[in-house]
Amino acid sequence: MSYVKSPILSICVLSVLLLTPAMPAAAATVPAGFTDVSLFTLGSPTALAFLPDGRLLVTTQGGTLRVYKNGALVVTPALTFGSICSNFERGLLGVAVDPDFASNRYIYLFYTFNSSGTCVNRVSRFTFGTGDTVTPGTELVLVDNMPSPNANHNAGDVHFGRDGYLYISIGDGGCDWAGNSGCAGSNDASRDQHVLTGKILRITNTGGIPASNPFQGAGTARCNVTGQTTPGNKCQETFSWGLRNPFRFAFDPNDAGSRFFINDVGQGAWEEIDLGQSGADFGWNCREGAHVNGSAGGQCMPAPAGMVDPFFEYSRSASVPGTADTGCASITGGAFAPDGVWPGYDGAYLFGDYVCGKIFTLTQSGGGTWSAVRFANSAGGVTSMTFGPHGNGQAFYYLTFTGGGQVHRVTYDSAGNEAPTAVIVADPLSGSAPLLVNFDGSASSDPDAGDVLTWFWDFGDGGPVVETAGATVSHTYTTAGTFTATLRVRDDSFTFSAPSSAVIQPGNTPPVPTIVTPADGTTFRVGETITLNGSAMDAEDGTLPASALSWMVYLNHNGSHIHPLLGPVSGNGVTFTAPAPEDLAATDGSFVEIHLTATDSGGLAATEQRDFEPHKVSITFATNPAGLDVVVNGFTLTGPETVTSWESWGLNVFAPSQDDGGTYRIFESWSDGGNQNHTIVTPASPVTYTAVFQTSVTTGPLDFNTVSLCRLVDTRTTGPALAAGSTRTFSASGVCGVPGTAKALAVTTTVIGGASGGHLRFWPAGTPMTTTSTMNFSAGGTRANNAIVGLGASADFSVLAGFTGGTADLIVDVVGWFE
């Protein structure tokens, strides 16, 4: 009964990998015959789609829609959102183009809307103008108020199937929208079929419900306006459910129907790919992949019937099946290779992993087994991918957060000889004139084995192009100014690469930024409003104005990855809300990173980084008697045990009744007066919370007898539901194999909440209500836990419905009995 820090990487797939801004765009390593090039740099690119005329649409997390055409990025954004939340994993996350765009000019965007300070996810339709911008005032909201309670696990992909319907992915929100189960692996929001969380949705291009959607008629309702409906009903927009963070999904262009694969990001152990199916329950949070999720609540005991297995999964602690690649821990973008585009790749499915920075192809053997082959290495933080037009054929396009954010294209050369790729590195990029700069092109490459490269350098200051047989050269800039140095490389067949460039600024030195607030050495508490102020001095420009300052803020998760919290935002007086840690395993090593970038009049930038630590508080959880278990934010602790928390962070605590080496303990009270399951807000100073347990309802040891899982009570089918304030008695004698001599039951109890929250209290029938087992629940929510319920003389127990209005349903499943 010990607390072990599990290697949980609840990966936030929109984590920015920071590189020096002057570093060139590096190509991924792809198989022979393929060429990877970076088309352009764009900060935090999230999704991409092509218009019928070949223009590429790219969304950014910060809220802009950009257009790439004729080999260049259009300067003016097609659309810029004002009321948007773009912290953590929120933002402008998905884009789709209507199949009838040529006639209606519709596009569809998934974004996190700032609704008067509350961040919710929304899908809207817009009309694209005849130029390169969205026509103002054309937004039609199709699905609104999808919960985003914890700023992560938003998913946010949108695509049209061949059936002409719009499919949408939405995650579980990171923490329970209702606040009644917890966060991470304990979050059971995906099990709530009356709420648009953890689902694949399907609607028409006007927001209507397709006639073939699986949940219609009695017991269903529309959820497109409020994001939910009455508990017990199901949302008609739902196509499939039980997903954690279905970040990206893709339709198969080679299939006559609307076959699609769903990439669902795992919690701490398994990444999975699911085959999209109407009405399917993919099992989260009862399962992660095809495996039991140990943090799941009691509603998963017994396991729900009919859960659909992923057809492919890989463990974070092992290699991706079919490869030797390890360290992969966040499945992201996905795309099918159209038949006839690449030899040998017909029907292959490509997917990326954000953490290991690789792209894989997935194929199925004749025996039905799926296995992967690494396609690209060093692709960085891949977010999205698709196939799209290029020349007279198609190419593979993908987005990566690496290198300041880039859009890449991978092509296949069917002619035999392939063009090389040039990569230039310059050091230094600025300084007093005259300035000696060392250039290095050794990262340049040629996909054709045995080809020897020749380097051609244009230093941009009016001098002649310099040809070298080696990869390095030096050049002195004698006058001040801004110069673009360019490298092209040539192979043995006299095929030249595309140019690679670096901007050199002799006569200019970078500014020196200084973070003023928060002051160095200060700490934060969760939920606190933090104000950012800074300054910058420049040798050439003097004191820079506030408009020259730009802020980025990240949550660093134990040094393994980072989550964007804010930015880029310019000026001073910028504020953000101090975050909570991802989970208990992240409290010791996580912190906030603050980055202040100052840019001078010549465009030269420098960044100061400050690590901003939380106020950490030691919290001890004890039990009376000692050595029993309590559950804190989904982690099992053995009292007394001390954990690290952050001031003002909410800890959901639960003290289950349990076996204690042959003696059975029933929860009595918490030292803070809270219910058996309640939330503790971490105070500013160390404190101990003690869970007090009673001994078993009988004297002396009891024999425990297991039974095949058996449903004893289900008021949904036998009725009536429990009325507020009422007391009911249920008999176990002769049911589920329980004899009349039984003294207690081991059960899983589930309550489906009514109009008001409250609790249920269980105790032996015919006795004073002193030895009880209590379950708390929220209004409209589903709550489950394991309990020991004492039985009266006739093997019966009583239940008090401790809530103030409406009714609630009760389910009791027997695991065993004591005699």
Side-chain angles (χ1 to χ4, degrees):
M1 295 190 291
S2 61
Y3 165 50
V4 179
K5 284 190 175 180
S6 60
I8 290 180
L9 290 175
S10 184
I11 297 299
C12 173
V13 294
L14 295 183
S15 301
V16 178
L17 306 181
L18 297 177
L19 298 178
T20 304
M23 288 289 289
T29 303
V30 292
F34 294 88
T35 302
D36 179 291
V37 296
S38 175
L39 299 179
F40 58 95
T41 298
L42 184 65
S44 304
T46 51
L48 70 171
F50 281 93
L51 295 177
D53 61 9
R55 284 179 292 174
L56 174 61
L57 304 180
V58 183
T59 59
T60 70
Q61 186 183 0
T64 61
L65 175 68
R66 304 299 299 270
V67 177
Y68 178 80
K69 71 174 185 178
N70 300 328
L73 185 67
V74 176
V75 174
T76 302
L79 179 66
T80 300
F81 282 95
S83 297
I84 192 170
C85 301
S86 57
N87 61 315
F88 220 167
E89 294 180 11
R90 294 168 171 149
L92 178 54
L93 305 178
V95 57
V97 176
D98 197 289
D100 295 323
F101 178 87
S103 59
N104 60 33
R105 307 195 68 80
Y106 293 153
I107 65 167
Y108 303 79
L109 298 174
F110 184 115
Y111 69 102
T112 311
F113 177 61
N114 189 339
S115 178
S116 300
T118 299
C119 297
V120 295
N121 290 308
R122 166 185 285 185
V123 173
S124 291
R125 190 185 77 190
F126 296 83
T127 300
F128 208 86
T130 55
D132 294 318
T133 59
V134 169
T135 303
T138 60
E139 180 176 13
L140 174 65
V141 179
L142 302 181
V143 183
D144 207 0
N145 290 302
M146 292 179 281
S148 180
N150 201 48
N152 60 338
H153 300 185
N154 297 286
D157 211 8
V158 286
H159 295 284
F160 275 92
R162 189 165 290 193
D163 54 14
Y165 298 132
L166 181 66
Y167 292 71
I168 303 162
S169 69
I170 176 69
D172 69 2
C175 290
D176 195 331
W177 64 274
N180 62 7
S181 66
C183 303
S186 298
N187 179 12
D188 64 4
S190 293
R191 311 305 303 164
D192 296 335
Q193 290 190 266
H194 68 289
V195 183
L196 298 181
T197 51
K199 312 289 191 296
I200 297 293
L201 314 179
R202 184 172 71 166
I203 58 175
T204 69
N205 71 348
T206 61
I209 300 298
S212 54
N213 268 21
F215 304 114
Q216 299 189 64
T220 71
R222 292 301 308 268
C223 299
N224 58 310
V225 175
T226 62
Q228 60 182 287
T229 184
T230 305
N233 286 342
K234 299 177 182 179
C235 293
Q236 294 178 358
E237 292 81 6
T238 300
F239 183 78
S240 54
W241 59 295
L243 295 158
R244 179 182 178 273
N245 188 16
F247 184 65
R248 293 291 177 255
F249 63 97
F251 283 94
D252 184 355
N254 311 303
D255 186 72
S258 290
R259 177 178 183 243
F260 68 103
F261 289 175
I262 306 166
N263 294 355
D264 197 11
V265 181
Q267 172 61 39
W270 295 92
E271 303 300 307
E272 68 180 273
I273 303 178
D274 299 294
L275 173 63
Q277 301 176 52
S278 177
D281 170 15
F282 294 109
W284 178 256
N285 72 332
C286 298
R287 304 186 312 176
E288 183 180 3
H291 312 270
V292 173
N293 168 30
S295 300
Q299 77 275 11
C300 296
M301 299 174 61
M307 292 188 296
V308 177
D309 286 337
F311 70 86
F312 182 79
E313 61 180 0
Y314 58 93
S315 170
R316 292 182 176 181
S317 60
S319 60
V320 176
T323 78
D325 294 291
T326 59
C328 299
S330 179
I331 190 168
T332 49
F336 286 90
D339 289 349
V341 171
W342 290 346
Y345 286 84
D346 283 0
Y349 182 67
L350 286 83
F351 67 91
D353 190 286
Y354 187 93
V355 172
C356 64
K358 297 174 182 178
I359 298 174
F360 301 90
T361 56
L362 188 66
T363 55
Q364 188 176 22
S365 68
T369 301
W370 292 85
S371 61
V373 174
R374 187 210 304 156
F375 177 78
N377 203 8
S378 302
V382 177
T383 56
S384 295
M385 55 183 65
T386 190
F387 279 80
H390 175 61
N392 295 323
Q394 292 195 60
F396 173 61
Y397 297 79
Y398 69 91
L399 307 180
T400 175
F401 266 35
T402 303
Q406 299 173 19
V407 179
H408 280 246
R409 181 179 65 212
V410 178
T411 55
Y412 176 75
D413 183 7
S414 59
N417 183 63
E418 299 177 60
T421 299
V423 177
I424 188 173
V425 176
D427 183 41
L429 296 171
S430 62
S432 301
L435 179 67
L436 175 65
V437 179
N438 298 309
F439 293 94
D440 188 342
S442 58
S444 304
S445 61
D446 191 288
D448 299 310
D451 272 9
V452 177
L453 296 179
T454 304
W455 284 259
F456 294 84
W457 310 89
D458 183 346
F459 302 115
D461 58 354
V465 173
V466 175
E467 176 183 343
T468 64
T472 60
V473 70
S474 297
H475 180 73
T476 299
Y477 291 86
T478 58
T479 60
T482 300
F483 305 96
T484 300
T486 302
L487 169 66
R488 300 179 74 198
V489 293
R490 188 189 67 194
D491 64 14
D492 293 342
S493 300
F494 284 81
T495 300
F496 277 88
S497 69
S500 176
S501 61
V503 176
I504 314 298
Q505 293 191 33
N508 191 14
T509 55
V512 180
T514 300
I515 297 174
V516 177
T517 62
D520 194 15
T522 59
T523 60
F524 66 84
R525 64 181 184 275
V526 174
E528 180 182 2
T529 298
I530 307 299
T531 302
L532 303 174
N533 287 294
S535 63
M537 288 294 299
D538 186 76
E540 292 76 31
D541 298 341
T543 302
L544 296 183
S547 59
L549 307 179
S550 179
W551 300 89
M552 293 286 291
V553 181
Y554 308 93
L555 175 62
N556 187 307
H557 183 111
N558 286 348
S560 62
H561 62 278
I562 57 178
H563 307 266
L565 297 178
L566 174 76
V569 179
S570 298
N572 273 323
V574 174
T575 62
F576 72 95
T577 301
E582 280 197 61
D583 50 40
L584 276 176
T587 54
D588 282 321
S590 296
F591 55 91
V592 168
E593 292 181 13
I594 299 174
H595 297 251
L596 172 60
T597 300
T599 305
D600 67 15
S601 61
L604 199 57
T607 299
E608 181 190 12
Q609 176 183 335
R610 175 168 297 169
D611 293 343
F612 189 29
E613 293 283 349
H615 179 215
K616 298 176 182 178
V617 183
S618 294
I619 306 294
T620 300
F621 291 94
T623 61
N624 183 9
L628 299 182
D629 286 345
V630 295
V631 181
V632 180
N633 279 16
F635 287 79
T636 299
L637 312 181
T638 301
E641 188 163 347
T642 301
V643 297
T644 299
S645 185
W646 293 2
E647 182 182 354
S648 297
W649 185 33
L651 300 175
N652 184 266
V653 298
F654 173 54
S657 300
Q658 59 200 270
D659 174 22
D660 181 20
T663 300
Y664 296 92
R665 308 289 185 180
I666 297 176
F667 170 79
E668 179 177 306
S669 64
W670 278 98
S671 58
D672 65 342
N675 292 323
Q676 184 179 20
N677 190 331
H678 69 287
T679 298
I680 293 169
V681 177
T682 303
S685 302
V687 66
T688 296
Y689 297 95
T690 301
V692 179
F693 294 83
Q694 298 176 350
T695 56
S696 176
V697 294
T698 65
T699 58
L702 295 176
D703 292 328
F704 180 62
N705 303 274
T706 60
V707 299
S708 298
L709 205 59
C710 175
R711 182 145 293 178
L712 177 67
V713 176
D714 189 344
T715 62
R716 299 174 303 176
T717 58
T718 60
L722 301 179
S726 67
T727 298
R728 292 268 296 279
T729 298
F730 299 92
S731 177
S733 179
V735 184
C736 294
V738 178
T741 55
K743 303 301 183 184
L745 298 177
V747 297
T748 295
T749 54
T750 303
V751 62
I752 301 173
S756 67
H759 69 275
L760 299 182
R761 184 173 292 184
F762 304 79
W763 76 97
T767 68
M769 192 170 54
T770 55
T771 303
T772 64
S773 179
T774 302
M775 174 196 293
N776 300 287
F777 65 93
S778 298
T782 299
R783 183 69 189 171
N785 65 355
N786 300 312
I788 304 297
V789 175
L791 296 176
S794 299
D796 49 4
F797 62 93
S798 296
V799 181
L800 170 66
F803 49 95
T804 57
T807 62
D809 278 302
L810 172 66
I811 302 169
V812 179
D813 294 306
V814 176
V815 178
W817 50 276
F818 304 97
E819 188 177 28

